[in-house]
Amino acid sequence: MSQVRERVPELTGLLTVVSLALVFGAVLGAIPRGAIPAAPASALAAIPHVNAALSAAAIATIVGGVRAIRRGDVARHRRSMLAAFGLFVAFLALYLYRITLVGPTEFAGPAVVETYVYLPLLAVHVLLALVAIPAVYYVLLLALSHPVSELGETNHPRAGRLAASLWLVSFTLGIVVYAMLYVVW
């Protein structure tokens, strides 16, 4: 872990670049559809609903983790935040899989709602997700590479508040975007 500890910023950058390359590669169609096995249409159709549930669970675990650390329960905080990260990884894997095979979902609502509500919400959601990715990696790498007794002397507490806030708002807006695409219209 000492190698990780000494290279947290570099590893954060590397993980961020790899993650964003996968996301942009899938969204922009750079990953060939034939490169991955296709699931049945019903499974692909279920992914947005599963991802909404994963997002809600991630929100609950992040809130639980924040509450735990405020009470001084470091072990529960760690479990909650690692669970939130695991939920994020599952969400991202399913999102990338579906977007590669199916492409983005078109907004089916009125054009005025799309222009003045949906697209701005989507833009903020995406922007916060893009900013949250390196913040989450940074905080996670600090937590995994330092003893708990030293974390207060690192940027972990301050960066953790930022990462948790970005993550919460991004996941919440993701659920709103999901509702606009699959529930409302």
Side-chain angles (χ1 to χ4, degrees):
M1 270 302 152
S2 67
Q3 292 176 344
V4 171
R5 183 180 185 157
E6 295 169 8
R7 302 211 181 275
V8 168
E10 294 90 346
L11 290 171
T12 298
L14 177 64
L15 290 170
T16 300
V17 167
V18 169
S19 297
L20 294 179
L22 288 171
V23 170
F24 283 110
V27 170
L28 298 174
I31 300 172
R33 289 183 181 175
I36 55 176
S42 60
L44 290 171
I47 289 174
H49 312 297
V50 170
N51 273 351
L54 290 172
S55 294
I59 289 168
T61 59
I62 294 166
V63 168
V66 168
R67 286 183 177 166
I69 202 62
R70 286 184 180 158
R71 289 190 311 266
D73 190 344
V74 175
R76 176 175 238 142
H77 170 75
R78 182 177 280 242
R79 285 191 308 273
S80 294
M81 293 316 206
L82 287 173
F85 184 74
L87 291 164
F88 165 71
V89 169
F91 169 93
L92 189 59
L94 288 171
Y95 173 79
L96 293 174
Y97 180 73
R98 184 177 187 282
I99 204 86
T100 298
L101 293 175
V102 178
T105 301
E106 297 293 325
F107 181 75
V112 68
V113 173
E114 179 180 28
T115 300
Y116 296 107
V117 179
Y118 173 74
L119 290 176
L121 281 173
L122 180 62
V124 172
H125 163 65
V126 169
L127 179 63
L128 290 176
L130 292 174
V131 174
I133 288 172
V136 168
Y137 283 143
Y138 180 73
V139 170
L140 180 65
L141 289 168
L142 283 174
L144 295 175
S145 65
H146 289 77
V148 171
S149 61
E150 293 178 11
L151 280 177
E153 299 166 18
T154 70
N155 284 330
H156 182 84
R158 184 178 33 187
R161 284 188 291 276
L162 174 65
S165 298
L166 292 170
W167 227 5
L168 282 171
V169 176
S170 179
F171 273 126
T172 302
L173 289 177
I175 292 173
V176 172
V177 167
Y178 159 80
M180 293 182 79
L181 288 174
Y182 298 97
V183 178
V184 178
W185 285 283

